[in-house]
Amino acid sequence: MAEPKIAQKRPYVVAEPIGNKWWCACGQSQTQPYCDGSHKRLNTGIVPVRLEIKEAKTVAWCGCKHSKNKPFCDGSHVGLPDPSKT
């Protein structure tokens, strides 16, 4: 499997309404933190993660795509290289 692109080195903190969300796991989406289908177009081999929000709440979506608790941020971004310098 391909390595995901680091979209950003911090979480995307979003007030989410009830409903289904597709979190971008490949890091290529132009609509971060949500999937826009880029994984298919670019043939990344990485699929998005579906999450059902059952009650409105604030979510800290993983921005680095390396969390061990996907799709949520777990602080893994701290040890990763800065994507703006690659």
Side-chain angles (χ1 to χ4, degrees):
M1 180 179 281
E3 188 75 12
K5 174 185 172 190
I6 299 170
Q8 69 177 21
K9 280 192 64 179
R10 61 186 182 281
Y12 293 93
V13 180
V14 182
E16 293 288 0
I18 294 170
N20 292 320
K21 307 296 176 184
W22 289 92
W23 172 76
C24 169
C26 72
Q28 300 291 338
S29 175
Q30 297 300 306
T31 59
Q32 292 293 335
Y34 313 107
C35 177
D36 68 0
S38 291
H39 66 283
K40 290 179 186 176
R41 181 176 49 80
L42 298 171
N43 197 25
T44 66
I46 301 172
V47 296
V49 175
R50 179 187 173 274
L51 180 70
E52 180 182 4
I53 305 289
K54 295 183 179 186
E55 62 183 53
K57 61 183 176 180
T58 299
V59 176
W61 300 104
C62 174
C64 74
K65 313 304 176 182
H66 288 77
S67 174
K68 306 294 185 277
N69 189 31
K70 294 176 176 121
F72 309 109
C73 178
D74 70 354
S76 291
H77 58 272
V78 173
L80 297 173
D82 187 338
S84 66
K85 296 179 180 169
T86 58

